[in-house]
Amino acid sequence: MNPTGNTILITGGTSGIGLELAREFQALGNSVIIAGRRRQLIDAAVAANPGMTGYALDVADPQAIEAFAAAVTAAHPALDMLINNAGIMKVEDLTGGPGYLADAEATIATNLLGPIRLTAALLPHFRTRPRSTIVNVSSGLAFVPLIATPTYNATKAALHSYSIALRHQLSGTTTEVIELVPPSVQTDLMPGHAEDAHALPLADFIAETMALFQRQPTPPEICVERVKFLRNAEAEGRFEQTLALVNAGA
């Protein structure tokens, strides 16, 4: 991918990784559009970053995605990059009865169906562009699960597999598929994560990630050094030990 001169849509772009990516890509000379569920956060992000554009979108709502895709491509015909970043992470007790199912279904709708639906809605437009890029944000937990968040892990593992298939189906076209694989990062994805001393500081993650995005050719997987402990655990024959370490004290 070319790191500059794009028109980029970032879901979940009002806070955390999404907002910091929006700021960094804008600083590189890209036009940036952010989408999120809460209008107040969208307006605050846009006000703090002149030139950025914001839209309300709940990626768990399939009808909203269809309407949004039509509106955003009409308003921004140069749109040529999508970062599927919106996601939620919930603790689930699978032994406590079916009460966790609502959280599980919401997680699947946001983390997996959302990116699949938005990609499907925007891909016809992307195919008309001279070049385009789809970035799916998965997680190191796609490779070694956190036992307390089973559906989150599962959606990210599925998004990893989906990204591989999408990349191969689009090979030979002008649309590039990249997977961004974060480790645990200090954000508000879950309560306490922003203060977790074991998580990677957000600024450090973004700096290393943006350097990788600017490599030519851009790697198909953007993996900062911290996440390789998880990403390569099975290939390096240390999956069980890594699983135990990730879930120590759980």
Side-chain angles (χ1 to χ4, degrees):
M1 61 166 275
N2 190 335
T4 190
N6 306 289
T7 299
I8 305 174
L9 167 63
I10 305 176
T11 65
T14 59
S15 63
I17 290 172
L19 180 55
E20 294 308 311
L21 288 176
R23 288 170 172 160
E24 293 294 326
F25 275 116
Q26 185 178 49
L28 285 177
N30 297 283
S31 297
V32 176
I33 306 158
I34 59 171
R37 290 180 298 172
R38 288 172 285 184
R39 186 78 246 178
Q40 183 177 2
L41 293 181
I42 296 166
D43 292 343
V46 168
N49 299 277
M52 200 174 288
T53 305
Y55 288 84
L57 173 66
D58 180 358
V59 298
D61 182 340
Q63 285 74 38
I65 285 176
E66 289 295 332
F68 168 79
V72 77
T73 52
H76 306 274
L79 179 67
D80 56 7
M81 185 170 173
L82 166 65
I83 302 180
N84 281 309
N85 170 74
I88 59 175
M89 186 177 189
K90 302 284 188 180
V91 171
E92 300 164 359
D93 180 3
L94 306 186
T95 69
Y100 70 88
L101 283 175
D103 282 343
E105 291 168 358
T107 302
I108 292 167
T110 299
N111 296 7
L112 181 58
L113 292 177
I116 290 173
R117 287 168 173 156
L118 187 54
T119 297
L122 290 177
L123 192 54
H125 169 77
F126 281 179
R127 298 295 299 276
T128 70
R129 303 297 300 156
R131 57 178 173 79
S132 57
T133 306
I134 297 167
V135 179
N136 290 325
V137 180
S138 64
S139 169
L141 298 179
F143 305 96
V144 180
L146 182 65
I147 291 170
T149 58
T151 305
Y152 177 84
N153 312 327
T155 58
K156 295 303 185 177
L159 192 59
H160 166 67
S161 182
Y162 172 79
S163 299
I164 293 172
L166 183 65
R167 182 181 303 121
H168 281 270
Q169 289 200 19
L170 293 177
S171 63
T173 75
T174 57
T175 301
E176 183 176 5
V177 178
I178 297 170
E179 181 181 354
L180 172 57
V181 189
S184 179
V185 178
Q186 290 177 348
T187 70
D188 292 320
L189 182 60
M190 287 185 71
H193 269 199
E195 296 78 38
D196 185 354
H198 299 290
L200 185 63
L202 178 58
D204 294 348
F205 170 74
I206 292 296
E208 191 175 350
T209 294
M210 292 306 299
L212 291 168
F213 269 123
Q214 293 176 76
R215 283 189 183 175
Q216 295 299 312
T218 309
E221 288 185 13
I222 302 292
C223 296
V224 299
E225 286 300 317
R226 180 75 70 92
V227 82
K228 292 177 182 178
F229 172 70
L230 299 173
R231 175 64 181 92
N232 301 329
E234 188 164 15
E236 294 174 357
R238 51 178 177 78
F239 178 83
E240 292 298 335
Q241 301 95 310
T242 307
L243 180 66
L245 284 170
V246 168
N247 292 283

